[in-house]
C-alpha cells in the first residue's frame, strides 16, 4: 500500500519546481478499514469507518463509511450489509 499524504508545490512559474517545496495535506483512515494490497491512497482523502478498498485501487476522493470501493480511480462497487 502507498499512502501519499502530501504533494509538491508548483504554483510559481518564476521559481524552479524543485525549489518550491512541498505541502503536507494528510490522509484520514477511520476505524475498522480494510485496505487490500497494492492500493494507492492520495492526499486529502478520508476512508470512512468499516470500508473495504479492493486490491490495486487508487483512492482519489473520500470514501463513505461501510463502502466497498475498487478501480482506478476507486469507485463504489458495493456496500457492506449487516
Amino acid at each position: 500500500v502507498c499512502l501519499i499524504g502530501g504533494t509538491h508545490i508548483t504554483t510559481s512559474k518564476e521559481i524552479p519546481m524543485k525549489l518550491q517545496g512541498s505541502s503536507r495535506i494528510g490522509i484520514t483512515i477511520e476505524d475498522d478499514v480494510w485496505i487490500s494490497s497494492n492500493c494507492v491512497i492520495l492526499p486529502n482523502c478520508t476512508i470512512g469507518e468499516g470500508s473495504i478498498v479492493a486490491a490495486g485501487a487508487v483512492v482519489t476522493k473520500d470514501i463513505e463509511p461501510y463502502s466497498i470501493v475498487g478501480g482506478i480511480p476507486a469507485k463504489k462497487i458495493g456496500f457492506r450489509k449487516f
Side-chain angles (χ1 to χ4, degrees):
V1 173
C2 185
L3 303 171
I4 303 170
T7 188
H8 295 282
I9 298 170
T10 59
T11 54
S12 176
K13 293 179 184 176
E14 290 77 36
I15 302 171
M17 284 189 271
K18 68 180 182 177
L19 299 177
Q20 293 186 48
S22 60
S23 64
R24 295 181 185 178
I25 300 169
I27 296 168
T28 303
I29 301 173
E30 296 182 349
D31 293 336
D32 195 30
V33 169
W34 176 8
I35 301 174
S36 300
S37 60
N38 299 316
C39 291
V40 176
I41 315 296
L42 295 179
N44 204 31
C45 291
T46 297
I47 301 177
E49 180 179 3
S51 294
I52 298 171
V53 182
V58 177
V59 178
T60 60
K61 60 183 180 178
D62 293 347
I63 297 172
E64 292 179 61
Y66 303 100
S67 296
I68 302 169
V69 300
I72 304 171
K75 296 182 182 185
K76 190 189 302 187
I77 57 175
F79 199 75
R80 290 183 58 202
K81 297 179 183 176
F82 298 98

